[in-house]
Every structure is written in structure tokens, then in C-alpha cells.
Amino acid sequence: MSTIIGAETTVNAETRHRGKTIAYWTVTLLLVISITLSGIGQLMRYGGNVDLVKNIGFPLYVTSILGTWKLLGVIAIIMPGFPRLKEWAYAGIFFLMMGAALSHAFADDYGDYGFNLILPLFYAALNIASWALRPGSRKMCKEAVKLSAAPSYNQ
């Protein structure tokens, strides 16, 4: 009987791990696709990117800077390894999106139905979710997690 319970426990743990991995990649791909399209749009000055930047009083060359950093951040998040670079990329995207939302709010440029405020906040939320759900192989302190899970022999 204990063998069956042990097997069920193992299966449940593996299912939870698989579910978290699927959630991580789903959220991360949504984030990556959104930020990539936004970065390309800014680099090409496509669509309403020029109007968005001018409405809040920024110079037009800001689109080139933001577009470049968005694409570099996406590359850092997707590529394997480099956990410190990933941390910086997640932080950069978060501050970029919060800065965009606040810039539009302070300039009273909310867009249709608050779109200029809601979209960057949605991207910031995706960014936080992707960061929180990332697997141990993409974290900087995976050794510390292993050590804390080790049994203690000092009683």
C-alpha cells in the first residue's frame, strides 16, 4: 500500500512540475512575441509608434533606442544559460513597461479606452509572471535551493 501512495506522490509532483513548465513557456512566449513585435514596430517606426512617442513629448530617436533594447532583452530571456543576464533583461523590460505606462499617464495620453496605459501594464504583468514561473535551470540561485532541500544531520 505504501508503494502505491509513493508512486502517486511522485506522479503528482511530476505533474505539478510539468504544469508549471507549460505555464512558464506559455507566459514567456506571449511576452516574447509581444515585446518582439513592439520592438520591431518601434525600430521601423511602424503604425502609431511615431504618434505615441510624439504625444508624450519624447524625441523620435527614442523609438530606435527602445526598439533595440526590447529585442536584446527578448534574446536574453529566450537563450539558454546566462542567468544574471536574464535577471537584468526581466528587470529592464519591467522598468521599460512601467516607464511607458507612467509617461502616458503623466502626459494625459491614455488613448482609446485607456489602451496606452493598460497595454504596458499587461506586458509588465506578463514579465513578472514569466520571471516567477521560470524553472530552476533559469534561476541564478539554483544551488541554494538544492542545499536547502538537503537533509540536515545536525539534530
Side-chain angles (χ1 to χ4, degrees):
M1 190 82 168
S2 63
T3 306
I4 294 172
I5 293 172
E8 289 175 4
T9 304
T10 303
V11 170
N12 287 338
E14 289 175 7
T15 304
R16 268 188 251 141
H17 176 64
R18 174 182 258 169
K20 188 175 178 181
T21 303
I22 291 170
Y24 165 75
W25 281 110
T26 302
V27 169
T28 301
L29 287 176
L30 279 171
L31 174 71
V32 164
I33 290 168
S34 301
I35 299 297
T36 300
L37 291 175
S38 174
I40 290 171
Q42 286 178 331
L43 284 174
M44 296 176 63
R45 296 185 177 146
Y46 184 75
N49 285 297
V50 173
D51 293 335
L52 283 174
V53 170
K54 285 186 175 181
N55 287 346
I56 57 178
F58 290 156
L60 197 54
Y61 65 82
V62 167
T63 59
S64 299
I65 296 168
L66 295 177
T68 301
W69 282 110
K70 283 180 180 182
L71 295 180
L72 290 173
V74 163
I75 291 168
I77 288 173
I78 288 295
M79 74 178 175
F82 305 102
R84 186 171 312 267
L85 184 62
K86 286 183 191 316
E87 294 288 327
W88 280 93
Y90 278 118
I93 289 173
F94 176 78
F95 289 124
L96 178 70
M97 292 300 113
M98 292 306 294
L102 290 172
S103 294
H104 286 289
F106 292 147
D108 290 327
D109 179 37
Y110 299 104
D112 296 334
Y113 308 107
F115 187 73
N116 293 345
L117 208 61
I118 293 171
L119 193 60
L121 292 175
F122 175 70
Y123 290 162
L126 278 178
N127 187 53
I128 291 170
S130 176
W131 178 84
L133 290 169
R134 68 205 149 111
S137 63
R138 292 180 165 254
K139 293 181 182 176
M140 285 183 48
C141 298
K142 59 185 172 188
E143 291 84 19
V145 173
K146 288 180 185 176
L147 291 176
S148 67
S152 175
Y153 296 107
N154 299 334
Q155 292 182 355

